[in-house]
Amino acid sequence: MDRKKFIKTSLLAISGFYFLHADLFQAVQPKISNQEKKVIDTPILIIGSGYGGAVSALRLCEAGKKVVMLEMGLNWEKSGIPFSNLLKPGKSAAWLKKKTIAPFMNLFSLTPFTGTLDRLDFEHINIWVGRGVGGGSLVNGGMAVTPKESYFREVFPDLDARKFYSTYFPLVHKELKVNVIDEQFLKDCPYYQFTRVGEEEAHKAGFKTIRVPNVYDFQYMEKEYRNEVPRSALNTEVIYGNNHGKNSLDKTYLKKALETGNLEILDLHRVDHIKLNDDKTYTLNVQQTDTSGAAVADKIFNCQKLILAAGTMGTLKLLLHSHAMSQFPVHEEIGKSWGNNGNFMTGRNWVKPMSGGTGAKQSTIPVGGIDNWDDPEHPFFTEIAPLPMGMDVATALYLLINRVDKKGEVSYDAGSRKLVLDWNESHTAGMRKNADYFIKKMNRANGGTRSHFLFNNGFGADVCYHPLGGCVLGKATNEYGKLKGHDHLYILDGSLIPGTIGVNPFVTITAIAEYCIENLIRENEFA
Ligand code: FAE
């Protein structure tokens, strides 16, 4: 990816947009005094630049609509600040924290900065999310997994599954640049010893493995390995951003949307709350910050059409907080059917300690999975995850994805101004049983112990990378994501999926957003 070209294109697109909207130009002048609240009028506004926001932006811009996107995180491409890696965490490592916030080994101190990774802490669960232009695509492992059709049908009985598997999933694969590792490279590359060992052990224990596609460019990775290009996946870059190789949204959907000249992205703009006006337009209270998190301006945005794509937790917070602030109407289904997508982390120690373990050098990009979904007693899918610690720790890490048989619920406490999550050990009991079954079976066949030094005795029930639900498609919204009780507000992100999808979720989030925005445009919602 040509970084300079992207920056140039973005700037060109943005300057073209300002030329058409001189009033908006003033809105991004830095260091505006807090006294003068800027008021900005815009027809279509999108909150959040993750998967749902990026898809909506591209399709609306292609349809000739001018779109403003507000993102609380930093535009890393534009800033020119490099991402840091796991072994040397720097500016990009955490959202305004004094210490790193990875799931484990948080030994590193930080100067608070608007970094890419944030963690939302609840009593029984910690939820990691991405911040910055590109949302979760900046920090995630790039695993691009299409759900099993039978489970998709079960989760979304009212959707036309045939159309999803013939049209939307293939479209999303193309747009997100999904590709698969070359088997010979996987076999030869020392950085994939953890995957080879993981698969071999799984087979020995009687499990079925699958190859997992990814948006990381594997041809680039092969060049990294040959030292022909700068290293990223082979240089412990992942959850704090990738400087190369990964096709995050800023290099796919958002790049294309900017190239239309119709999209303007305002980064470091955090929406605090939304008001529904009598004429059915929306007014947003927005705070612009600098990279230390300090406020540099308070702004008011007025819009006719509003797309909420702030990610499951961001969207729920905006809706419920706005309700508390200004009686913003929220449907009774808001907050219901929330789930962690069955996320359950676990690990094993003493994995092949006498024959090189899981490898001192590890690629950060997972390519292997264990598929036990069809086992009626213990249905789960698990990623064979990397643990790139710069030395061989003979430890295997797994992120299980289970069914979510008991859903949680999200509400809001106006006193503390925080979301409240009804979610505890009872919601993850079945997931824990699956993890226990899996680890015991692997250990019986291969040796090793449950990894007591990772998480809580090796059972990470509180680790969640995939928050889903709370604004379920067809329940809190109409069949295309329009929020019930509103004429011009649309939800297009992970909150539409009812708490579970059985695999890593961004391919599904993107496909659902494609389906919704296509139909919303067809129905002249943005005319
Ligand atoms: P998301 O991508 O979260 O974007 C929402 C955006 O809205 C963010 O940029 C926020 O900063 C912004 N925002 C929130 N509130 C506000 C506000 N008030 N004002 C302005 N902006 C706001 O939403 N999924 C996979 O499928 N494969 C993987 O390999 C994978 N690995 C993951 C690894 C990690 C460490 C994490 C944290 C997640 C991973 N995920 C993975 C999950 C995936 O990234 C996530 O489901 C999607 O990013 C969610 O997409 P949304 O469009 O819902």
Side-chain angles (χ1 to χ4, degrees):
M1 166 46 36
D2 184 342
R3 193 179 166 91
K4 266 194 197 145
K5 200 170 151 211
F6 174 81
I7 296 170
K8 212 170 134 194
T9 316
S10 317
L11 290 175
L12 272 177
I14 288 168
S15 53
F17 192 86
Y18 287 143
F19 182 69
L20 295 164
H21 293 77
D23 53 342
L24 270 181
F25 180 66
Q26 293 167 13
V28 288
Q29 298 298 313
K31 308 274 175 204
I32 300 169
S33 127
N34 262 344
Q35 273 85 41
E36 37 167 311
K37 258 195 191 176
K38 286 279 160 191
V39 179
I40 298 119
D41 294 320
T42 178
I44 305 175
L45 205 140
I46 300 177
I47 306 176
S49 62
Y51 293 91
V55 169
S56 316
L58 175 59
R59 299 308 171 206
L60 286 165
C61 289
E62 282 177 342
K65 307 289 172 196
K66 298 281 177 202
V67 176
V68 171
M69 178 180 265
L70 301 180
E71 166 56 54
M72 66 192 276
L74 181 63
N75 187 336
W76 289 84
E77 282 277 2
K78 215 169 82 183
S79 76
I81 300 169
F83 296 117
S84 45
N85 67 24
L86 287 172
L87 301 182
K88 219 173 159 215
K91 286 184 169 156
S92 72
W95 178 258
L96 303 173
K97 304 277 189 303
K98 288 190 176 154
K99 251 182 134 185
T100 52
I101 49 164
F104 32 77
M105 298 283 287
N106 288 309
L107 311 170
F108 303 94
S109 298
L110 298 170
T111 304
F113 194 85
T114 50
T116 56
L117 187 67
D118 199 0
R119 191 183 69 200
L120 315 174
D121 297 344
F122 295 88
E123 197 182 347
H124 296 282
I125 190 165
N126 299 315
I127 301 173
W128 279 264
V129 295
R131 302 251 176 259
V133 173
S137 79
L138 297 175
V139 300
N140 67 35
M143 293 174 74
V145 196
T146 307
K148 282 182 187 281
E149 190 168 338
S150 54
Y151 198 56
F152 182 83
R153 284 177 188 276
E154 187 181 326
V155 173
F156 288 112
D158 298 331
L159 291 182
D160 178 356
R162 237 172 3 129
K163 178 120 198 239
F164 268 81
Y165 285 82
S166 66
T167 307
Y168 298 114
F169 285 128
L171 169 68
V172 159
H173 275 220
K174 195 176 114 247
E175 296 287 7
L176 292 174
K177 303 195 172 161
V178 175
N179 68 152
V180 179
I181 194 168
D182 176 76
E183 288 297 319
Q184 193 59 46
F185 177 64
L186 172 57
K187 214 166 141 210
D188 296 340
C189 181
Y191 288 77
Y192 275 108
Q193 181 164 329
F194 76 97
T195 305
R196 295 193 297 271
V197 166
E199 293 183 349
E200 198 184 297
E201 288 193 325
H203 294 154
K204 209 165 158 207
F207 289 113
K208 189 173 89 188
T209 58
I210 52 164
R211 186 65 52 243
V212 180
N214 204 289
V215 298
Y216 197 92
D217 180 345
F218 287 110
Q219 290 196 353
Y220 185 90
M221 195 191 287
E222 291 193 25
K223 288 189 196 146
E224 283 179 53
Y225 181 53
R226 296 194 299 264
N227 282 321
E228 293 167 11
V229 291
R231 289 186 165 196
S232 182
L234 304 190
N235 182 31
T236 76
E237 287 179 4
V238 69
I239 56 172
Y240 310 146
N242 283 83
N243 288 302
H244 314 278
K246 186 157 85 172
N247 283 306
S248 42
L249 290 166
D250 47 328
K251 298 178 176 64
T252 57
Y253 276 95
L254 291 172
K255 178 173 182 276
K256 274 175 99 171
L258 284 168
E259 281 167 355
T260 66
N262 286 336
L263 173 65
E264 180 188 17
I265 304 175
L266 299 179
D267 68 336
L268 298 176
H269 278 62
R270 187 185 66 81
V271 181
D272 183 75
H273 64 275
I274 310 162
K275 200 171 145 261
L276 173 64
N277 302 312
D278 292 341
D279 63 357
K280 297 187 173 177
T281 60
Y282 294 93
T283 297
L284 282 66
N285 279 62
V286 177
Q287 191 171 68
Q288 185 181 355
T289 69
D290 63 18
T291 52
S292 75
V296 294
D298 283 325
K299 297 183 183 175
I300 300 286
F301 284 78
N302 294 316
C303 67
Q304 283 142 27
K305 315 274 173 171
L306 179 60
I307 295 180
L308 262 176
T312 297
M313 305 315 290
T315 288
L316 285 169
K317 171 113 190 246
L318 278 169
L319 290 172
L320 295 170
H321 175 59
S322 301
H323 178 66
M325 294 286 290
S326 67
Q327 286 308 306
F328 184 80
V330 292
H331 190 266
E332 60 186 28
E333 284 287 332
I334 296 292
K336 291 190 179 151
S337 282
W338 185 91
N340 69 347
N341 198 26
N343 283 188
F344 199 100
M345 236 185 211
T346 188
R348 293 167 51 239
N349 291 145
W350 303 106
V351 174
K352 299 216 179 286
M354 308 312 283
S355 51
T358 43
K361 297 171 172 180
Q362 297 194 8
S363 166
T364 55
I365 298 300
V367 295
I370 296 170
D371 180 1
N372 205 50
W373 198 258
D374 294 330
D375 176 346
E377 238 178 287
H378 297 290
F380 63 86
F381 165 79
T382 181
E383 155 189 352
I384 298 171
L387 192 58
M389 297 177 82
M391 59 183 156
D392 177 29
V393 287
T395 296
L397 182 67
Y398 309 97
L399 177 62
L400 265 71
I401 296 179
N402 300 272
R403 297 177 70 97
V404 181
D405 294 324
K406 184 178 174 191
K407 303 275 173 69
E409 189 166 339
V410 181
S411 55
Y412 185 74
D413 175 34
S416 63
R417 297 182 150 220
K418 283 188 172 157
L419 288 179
V420 179
L421 200 48
D422 174 19
W423 185 264
N424 55 45
E425 283 100 352
S426 71
H427 295 87
T428 52
M431 304 171 197
R432 191 185 188 89
K433 276 189 195 145
N434 282 353
D436 190 45
Y437 162 82
F438 170 63
I439 293 293
K440 282 188 176 143
K441 204 168 164 189
M442 288 291 273
N443 288 344
R444 260 198 311 274
N446 302 289
T449 60
R450 188 167 87 227
S451 178
H452 291 269
F453 89 83
L454 292 174
F455 343 99
N456 197 359
N457 261 340
F459 280 152
D462 54 352
V463 177
C464 175
Y465 285 173
H466 304 161
L468 297 174
C471 301
V472 173
L473 188 67
K475 291 209 164 127
T477 73
N478 78 354
E479 57 188 318
Y480 304 134
K482 189 203 274 198
L483 188 61
K484 287 185 180 165
H486 287 258
D487 290 332
H488 305 300
L489 193 152
Y490 314 89
I491 311 279
L492 289 177
D493 61 18
S495 65
L496 292 173
I497 301 176
T500 171
I501 195 61
V503 289
N504 313 58
F506 74 61
V507 164
T508 310
I509 296 171
T510 313
I512 296 223
E514 286 279 15
Y515 156 79
C516 288
I517 198 74
E518 179 187 284
N519 283 289
L520 291 168
I521 291 173
R522 186 182 49 75
E523 294 205 331
N524 288 325
E525 287 284 343
F526 298 96

